[in-house]
Amino acid sequence: MCPNVQWAGSLERVELDPWEDAGGEKGFLTVDLLSGKHQFHPIPSRPVAALAPIKVTGGDHDQLRRRVREVIEEVPGGIKGKIARLKLEGASPEDLLALQGGELSVLRTSALHLAIEAGREPRDSPAVWLLEDAPALLSDALKKELERDGFLDSATRGVIEDLLNPDIVAASKSSVIGAMDALDGDIPGVGRVSASIPVGLTAVIGGDGRARKLVRELLVQAGGGSGSGALRQLWACTDTGTLGEMFSIGSLAIASTRGLAVVDAILERLDPDEHSRTGIKSGTRSLESHPGRATLIDLGHVATEFRSAKMDLRSLRAEVIEADGDLEASMMDWLRERQDAETTLNAYRDRARQLRSRLHRMEESGPGAPCPLCGRVLEGHYDEVLRELKDEWESVIQDGSWWRSRREQLELKPLNHRKLERTTLKLHVALEAQSERVELLRIRLNKVGEGVRPREGPVARDDPRSQVMLALLRVRAAREARARDLLLNRASRFVCRLTGGRILAITVQEGGVRLEGDYRTLLPASEEDLSAGKVAVRLAAASLVAAGGQGLGSLLLEEPFDRLDPEAGIRTLVLMKHLLGQIPRIIVVSRGTAVGARPELFDCIMEVRDEASGVGPVLRPTPAGPGKLLLQSPAKLKR
């Protein structure tokens, strides 16, 4: 650690994620207190194998299985008896499930412990779903649907233009949910609460169950989560009876930030009575339209178009992943170059100050000044040394001026990086449009779940409002289905991360939302597994909502967190620290077991007073954040 401090570390690998220290030795130190000599004694420990990351090509499951076998064979001695990690970059839930059963069974039997990671989550692009762009995006989607039905004419165009007026954005706009920086109020039977809530990860722990619950209810009121609406329901509903209910709340909130709120506002404006009869509300099972004469759809042509659209979507996803990687590499290069310029400029500034100080001392002392190098009196060499120092000082100033200009140039993003940003944004927009197109075609083929498919009736040729209504219902169903897919993908990544790969994915089946283990579907699922699924869904939904342009001011996490097993609880805390880049405040109301295990992860910890004591503030701050280790030793006195 430093010349007079040695650190032996632990005798075993105790970290939840020991991959960074995979090649390090474990052991102990012996120190001779008289001579100060020390020696490290390595001891046998459990070997760790961080397998080479596998870049997954979506849909090619045979290639994925073959690459897994190849990576395992590349490990010297194999993975038998080792702590191993299998990292699958860009893997979707379907790709992970391709390894379920036999493939993973063999690997887990061989390894001492096998962790499976799905790689980093895909990058979000908030500019894709700006609320101001929602009317134009919806107009394009409606016109394409009407054109497929053969209903796009001047009458339907006129209906769309009348509906999509500038007021529609204001009507569907919602305020930020959970925006609070303090908690102030009276709790019956407990007392008055007055505490600030800083930016970062905050824990509310201790007290009895009733006191914590009342503090949680006060937090919900302060965050504005007691009203109606999909976003408010997501913020306030920290726990549900089933995993399916949590998933439904999360997917509806995501959809509302990705154009669904605008669709619902237009449906309400188009026909309030009809809107109420379609059942377009939170938690409804279906959508229905009531027109007059059937439209003819060539299912064979739609099926062909659907297959082609899915192939185009797969290609677009590959392009987006590659573009995101190029953009991230470009960003790192820019930041590194800017940091290098800043460091070099500071070095030149320090050198210039040092030379100027020497020149000032020499000019004050005259020929009797000491030499800056050897310390002898300069005398006859004074003018020569002074001239060389001035020349060096001017050279440093000139070079420093160049580095200052370079640093100022690098304050702005390079032209190539800005081009990559525009290209990546266009690809993300195209990906969202293509995803919606696939869902619309899937609806026409009746290949979506009953919970999101509109039951289509006949449409009158001379009724443009009904024609637009039907197109709106399809678009609404497509956007809800897209939100469900997004949530499934991210929640699956999160639950795999929280459980170390013990739960591979979350799926939606006829029987409801299911947890997929590494061997089979978990039926019945344990309380710990269900809690991991609920926490993963809630965190995934919050991160997607925050990335949708209508961000959350905070996020509240309560009861399911305490039911997690200890390792999953700590991994959840690490994940929440990562999400603070999207959500400024995350508040955990907990009994405190996991909080006590990793207090350094928190920016603020507040302890709830026991009701029986009745002494002191209701919320008392306790130490949080990284600790400081001070080592002191007695100084040896010279006699």
Side-chain angles (χ1 to χ4, degrees):
M1 298 180 69
C2 62
N4 63 335
V5 176
Q6 300 294 324
W7 178 257
S10 61
L11 296 177
E12 251 304 349
R13 305 192 186 277
V14 296
E15 303 91 347
L16 290 179
D17 301 303
W19 321 117
E20 294 182 0
D21 192 34
E25 289 185 314
K26 294 295 180 180
F28 60 92
L29 284 168
T30 56
V31 181
D32 188 327
L33 298 179
L34 294 178
S35 64
K37 293 183 179 180
H38 56 84
Q39 183 180 1
F40 179 76
H41 303 270
I43 61 174
S45 61
R46 294 177 292 181
V48 174
L51 307 180
I54 298 175
K55 189 175 181 179
V56 179
T57 302
D60 195 343
H61 297 159
D62 291 335
Q63 182 185 10
L64 172 59
R65 297 186 187 96
R66 184 168 59 253
R67 283 292 296 133
V68 169
R69 289 192 293 268
E70 292 173 356
V71 167
I72 297 296
E73 292 171 358
E74 292 172 359
V75 179
I79 63 172
K80 185 175 182 179
K82 297 179 180 178
I83 303 172
R85 177 186 67 177
L86 180 62
K87 192 171 185 178
L88 307 174
E89 295 286 356
S92 65
E94 291 79 9
D95 297 323
L96 292 175
L97 292 178
L99 301 175
Q100 189 180 39
E103 295 285 339
L104 291 181
S105 176
V106 174
L107 297 180
R108 287 199 184 277
T109 303
S110 176
L112 177 64
H113 173 76
L114 178 66
I116 301 172
E117 295 183 6
R120 290 177 300 176
E121 287 71 39
R123 191 180 70 88
D124 295 312
S125 182
V128 172
W129 279 109
L130 293 177
L131 186 59
E132 292 75 11
D133 298 334
L137 294 173
L138 181 56
S139 176
D140 292 341
L142 290 176
K143 289 175 182 178
K144 289 178 181 178
E145 278 301 292
L146 290 169
E147 186 176 8
R148 288 192 182 98
D149 289 334
F151 289 149
L152 184 60
D153 53 23
S154 58
T156 51
R157 289 178 188 273
V159 173
I160 293 174
E161 290 177 3
D162 290 340
L163 294 173
L164 294 173
N165 56 53
D167 297 337
I168 199 66
V169 173
S172 57
K173 196 170 185 178
S174 61
S175 59
V176 176
I177 307 299
M180 57 179 173
D181 55 8
L183 186 63
D184 191 11
D186 289 311
I187 299 180
V190 178
R192 182 167 184 80
V193 176
S194 181
S196 61
I197 302 177
V199 172
L201 184 58
T202 297
V204 178
I205 63 172
D208 55 26
R210 177 179 177 275
R212 280 201 314 274
K213 183 178 180 180
L214 292 173
V215 171
R216 178 256 177 198
E217 292 176 355
L218 185 60
L219 283 167
V220 171
Q221 295 175 9
S226 57
S228 60
L231 292 179
R232 294 184 184 277
Q233 191 175 9
L234 170 68
W235 195 91
C237 188
T238 57
D239 194 10
T240 56
T242 65
L243 180 61
E245 291 174 359
M246 181 70 78
F247 184 83
S248 177
I249 292 171
S251 62
L252 194 60
I254 295 168
S256 68
T257 62
R258 292 173 173 262
L260 196 69
V262 175
V263 174
D264 285 347
I266 292 176
L267 284 169
E268 181 69 28
R269 180 175 297 181
L270 183 62
D271 191 338
D273 295 333
E274 181 71 14
H275 180 230
S276 64
R277 290 198 301 271
T278 60
I280 305 175
K281 298 176 182 176
S282 295
T284 53
R285 293 290 300 167
S286 63
L287 314 174
E288 187 175 2
S289 58
H290 304 275
R293 197 174 38 155
T295 59
L296 298 178
I297 298 177
D298 185 350
L299 293 181
H301 175 73
V302 174
T304 302
E305 188 179 0
F306 176 67
R307 288 192 296 270
S308 176
K310 286 183 65 177
M311 293 178 61
D312 293 342
L313 179 61
R314 189 176 296 117
S315 300
L316 259 177
R317 281 175 177 163
E319 289 184 46
V320 167
I321 292 173
E322 185 176 355
D324 284 344
D326 293 341
L327 182 63
E328 183 179 359
S330 175
M331 174 67 77
M332 295 301 297
D333 290 341
W334 171 52
L335 294 176
R336 188 182 302 111
E337 191 173 1
R338 190 170 66 172
Q339 183 61 47
D340 290 344
E342 181 73 24
T343 302
T344 306
L345 176 60
N346 289 333
Y348 273 101
R349 284 175 172 171
D350 292 340
R351 180 59 177 165
R353 282 192 293 267
Q354 184 183 26
L355 291 173
R356 187 169 62 249
S357 176
R358 287 183 181 179
L359 284 170
H360 182 67
R361 290 196 302 269
M362 285 185 62
E363 289 173 348
E364 285 183 344
S365 301
C371 175
L373 298 179
C374 64
R376 292 181 295 179
V377 177
L378 291 173
E379 294 183 345
H381 299 284
Y382 172 77
D383 293 334
E384 181 183 356
V385 173
L386 185 64
R387 184 171 57 254
E388 289 181 359
L389 278 178
K390 285 184 177 180
D391 291 343
E392 184 180 358
W393 178 74
E394 291 174 356
S395 176
V396 168
I397 291 297
Q398 185 176 359
D399 291 346
S401 299
W402 186 90
W403 279 105
R404 182 177 61 187
S405 300
R406 180 59 179 161
R407 188 202 62 178
E408 292 173 353
Q409 291 175 356
L410 291 171
E411 287 298 321
L412 299 176
K413 294 179 181 179
L415 178 61
N416 182 58
H417 183 77
R418 295 200 298 270
K419 288 181 179 178
L420 280 175
E421 283 184 329
R422 290 193 294 269
T423 301
T424 305
L425 177 59
K426 290 179 181 178
L427 285 173
H428 275 275
V429 171
L431 177 64
E432 289 298 324
Q434 186 66 17
S435 299
E436 186 169 289
R437 180 187 173 214
V438 168
E439 295 301 333
L440 286 167
L441 291 171
R442 196 193 307 273
I443 289 169
R444 286 174 176 268
L445 290 172
N446 292 328
K447 289 187 177 182
V448 297
E450 186 65 28
V452 296
R453 182 175 67 240
R455 297 196 298 268
E456 299 183 8
V459 180
R461 174 66 63 175
D462 57 351
D463 189 357
R465 296 180 70 84
S466 294
Q467 295 163 4
V468 173
M469 170 73 83
L470 178 58
L472 276 168
L473 293 175
R474 283 186 188 148
V475 170
R476 188 189 191 282
R479 291 187 176 180
E480 190 175 355
R482 172 61 175 159
R484 290 160 64 90
D485 288 343
L486 288 171
L487 182 55
L488 274 178
N489 192 302
R490 182 155 301 187
S492 295
R493 290 175 180 274
F494 280 6
V495 77
C496 184
R497 181 172 174 177
L498 298 184
T499 61
R502 187 171 50 81
I503 300 177
L504 293 179
I506 298 175
T507 58
V508 176
Q509 304 175 12
E510 291 184 2
V513 181
R514 299 285 184 250
L515 297 174
E516 299 293 339
D518 49 5
Y519 296 112
R520 55 179 174 77
T521 302
L522 300 179
L523 282 177
S526 67
E527 185 180 30
E528 291 83 1
D529 291 342
L530 282 176
S531 297
K534 290 180 181 180
V535 170
V537 168
R538 181 164 175 78
L539 293 178
S543 67
L544 287 167
V545 167
Q550 296 176 335
L552 295 173
S554 63
L555 180 67
L556 192 60
L557 197 67
E558 195 202 4
E559 186 57 36
F561 177 77
D562 278 335
R563 294 196 293 265
L564 297 173
D565 65 65
E567 289 188 3
I570 294 175
R571 288 194 176 99
T572 301
L573 296 179
V574 175
L575 175 58
M576 287 191 288
K577 288 291 285 187
H578 174 71
L579 294 179
L580 288 174
Q582 298 175 316
I583 307 169
R585 290 177 176 84
I586 299 180
I587 306 166
V588 180
V589 181
S590 165
R591 290 193 296 269
T593 304
V595 177
R598 297 295 298 272
E600 70 275 9
L601 295 176
F602 288 86
D603 299 282
C604 175
I605 299 177
M606 293 183 286
E607 187 174 0
V608 181
R609 184 191 67 199
D610 288 330
E611 287 188 78
S613 67
V615 179
V618 176
L619 290 179
R620 178 176 60 88
T622 60
K628 181 184 292 185
L629 181 64
L630 298 178
L631 299 177
Q632 293 182 340
S633 62
K636 294 181 180 180
L637 300 177
K638 294 182 179 180
R639 297 184 181 273

